[in-house]
Amino acid sequence: ALVIMCVFLSHVAFSPPLQGTRMVVSARSFADFTPQASFPIKKCDLHRLEEGPSDEALLTREQGLQYYRTMQTVRRMELKADQLYKQKIIRGFCHLYDGQEACAMGIEAGINPTDHLITAYRAHGYTFTRGVAVREILAELTGRRGGVAKGKGGSMHMYAKNFYGGNGIVGAQGQIFESFNMAALWKLPCIFICENNKFGMGTSVERSSASTDYYKRGDYIPGLKVDGMDVLCVREAIRFAADYCRAGKGPIVMELETYRYHGHSMSDPGVSYRTREEIQEVRTKNDPISMLKERMLSNNMSSVEELKEIDLEIRKVIEDAAQYAISDPEPSLDELCNHIYARDPPMEVRGTNPWVKLKSVS
């Protein structure tokens, strides 16, 4: 199986149907809609490659609706997390993904559910596209028993089948280049992805990097620079990279040019090192959800009414999930040290001092 490692610049199959959703039936007949269409997409910049992904992408109506639903759900989920954090219901670190939805959706659309994916701390979107329900993600953020990591992982530590987090790595440049070296030596089927959202915390790429061509950082490893705001560009590039790796050619590096609307974390307002006008310009001209919506509407693949109905359903799912995340009980103190090891007999764990003993159950 393929291994996909997604890291963010600052630390350089589809998702299942939403719970409680129903099929949307527009006032128009399904026969009235265009079943599929081809779209020109931005050509990738290449490093050590003679040819790259196609500059045209085929999209079916079903795929378009699925991509729209998934990205819109991630957007609404992150906005709800923002609200819960400001209400002090979510505490601690919280890194939001709104603006970068095309990256997670495009990657999932271009790989198989059996492929393995690892990411850094901005992990909520990937947790959803890898199959975890919104209520489990929000409950994890609020530290509740029904969370995906039973309320003990929080924003940075979420996991699912073939998805290994959510890892709170900082910097890790040394490990990146060591990984490049070993993957190239052993010709491992691994895609290394940098989601270049233009800022490392509050520092712009131009101020922090003598070379901003991150797709060339693998040096001896081929690389691609991709429009990370276009879900179709990401999907086609990932398909190309996956085929390259599965053919036994070794690893490949990808840079997804994207943009985050929120600050680095909830403690960062995100406007001290960039202007509100800059953020609004990206929202207006290059938003990944709006881009997909416009393609579908202008090619008669959906209707305004159908997409509004999907939006209403998503809002309800998010609100129900938020209520669950608030009302679900917190894990008890007895559960604090559980699951340190797998398949081991119960063991004692020292607490905050030598006289406090806690039990760990696998």
Side-chain angles (χ1 to χ4, degrees):
L2 199 64
V3 176
I4 300 94
M5 298 182 66
C6 299
V7 296
F8 302 101
L9 178 62
S10 50
H11 298 307
V12 214
F14 305 94
S15 58
L18 296 173
Q19 293 181 354
T21 58
R22 57 186 173 80
M23 182 168 292
V24 177
V25 180
S26 173
R28 294 161 61 184
S29 167
F30 289 129
D32 295 336
F33 292 117
T34 304
Q36 64 181 36
S38 292
F39 298 94
I41 56 176
K42 185 177 179 180
K43 193 172 184 177
C44 296
D45 292 339
L46 307 180
H47 171 64
R48 289 184 176 271
L49 290 167
E50 293 183 0
E51 60 179 2
S54 171
D55 56 4
E56 188 171 284
L58 180 67
L59 180 71
T60 68
R61 169 177 149 80
E62 290 72 20
Q63 288 172 338
L65 291 175
Q66 180 63 41
Y67 299 170
Y68 180 83
R69 183 186 292 275
T70 299
M71 291 197 293
Q72 192 71 289
T73 299
V74 172
R75 175 73 56 87
R76 290 293 168 188
M77 177 176 69
E78 296 296 68
L79 294 179
K80 177 55 69 173
D82 173 88
Q83 180 184 356
L84 293 174
Y85 195 97
K86 289 172 179 174
Q87 293 172 350
K88 298 186 177 181
I89 297 171
I90 295 173
R91 310 299 291 264
F93 293 107
C94 186
H95 306 87
L96 301 182
Y97 198 65
D98 49 319
Q100 300 181 215
E101 296 90 351
C103 297
M105 182 66 257
I107 289 171
E108 191 64 32
I111 61 174
N112 302 323
T114 52
D115 291 325
H116 305 279
L117 193 146
I118 309 167
T119 191
Y121 51 76
R122 206 176 300 278
H124 308 164
Y126 287 103
T127 307
F128 180 70
T129 58
R130 286 267 93 181
V132 177
V134 174
R135 59 187 282 161
E136 292 182 59
I137 297 172
L138 290 183
E140 188 59 40
L141 290 173
T142 58
R144 306 306 169 110
R145 187 180 292 170
V148 63
K150 303 187 185 301
K152 295 186 287 186
S155 177
M156 295 190 289
H157 306 290
M158 299 184 182
Y159 310 92
K161 185 174 177 60
N162 298 325
F163 174 60
Y164 310 99
N167 297 277
I169 58 168
V170 177
Q173 289 296 317
Q175 287 98 322
I176 287 290
F177 289 107
E178 289 173 357
S179 300
F180 284 172
N181 184 57
M182 288 188 288
L185 281 172
W186 298 336
K187 290 192 177 296
L188 300 180
C190 185
I191 305 173
F192 295 96
I193 298 175
C194 167
E195 289 190 54
N196 180 0
N197 59 24
K198 307 299 183 184
F199 297 93
M201 299 185 74
T203 306
S204 68
V205 295
E206 291 80 13
R207 291 181 59 207
S208 64
S209 299
S211 171
T212 57
D213 289 334
Y214 296 102
Y215 69 106
K216 297 180 181 179
R217 289 291 180 95
D219 187 11
Y220 40 80
I221 299 176
L224 296 167
K225 187 175 187 178
V226 184
D227 182 357
M229 300 299 275
D230 183 348
V231 67
L232 297 185
C233 275
V234 178
R235 185 193 70 181
E236 294 305 303
I238 285 289
R239 285 176 174 174
F240 173 87
D243 289 343
Y244 179 94
C245 292
R246 295 189 210 280
K249 298 179 181 178
I252 194 167
V253 175
M254 291 180 59
E255 176 187 348
L256 306 183
E257 283 196 302
T258 184
Y259 197 85
R260 56 169 162 81
Y261 293 154
H262 268 83
H264 167 71
S265 67
M266 288 301 296
S267 61
D268 169 21
V271 291
S272 60
Y273 47 86
R274 58 182 181 176
T275 63
R276 296 182 189 276
E277 289 74 22
E278 175 184 318
I279 302 169
Q280 187 56 41
E281 184 177 12
V282 177
R283 286 183 182 273
T284 303
K285 297 181 179 179
N286 208 27
D287 182 78
I289 300 175
S290 298
M291 189 186 307
L292 176 63
K293 180 179 180 180
E294 176 57 30
R295 278 174 169 158
M296 295 190 69
L297 292 178
S298 62
N299 286 271
N300 193 39
M301 300 178 77
S302 185
S303 65
V304 172
E305 295 76 19
E306 183 177 38
L307 296 180
K308 280 185 178 178
E309 186 67 25
I310 291 175
D311 291 344
L312 290 173
E313 288 187 356
I314 291 171
R315 287 175 184 268
K316 184 179 187 309
V317 169
I318 299 298
E319 287 303 320
D320 291 347
Q323 288 303 311
Y324 173 78
I326 294 170
S327 60
D328 192 53
E330 296 179 353
S332 68
L333 184 61
D334 293 340
E335 301 174 46
L336 180 63
C337 294
N338 286 353
H339 310 110
I340 293 177
Y341 296 105
R343 297 183 296 276
D344 273 9
M347 58 180 288
E348 280 193 341
V349 178
R350 181 188 141 162
T352 54
N353 63 62
W355 300 277
V356 175
K357 301 291 184 182
L358 300 170
K359 182 178 284 188
S360 176
V361 179
S362 297

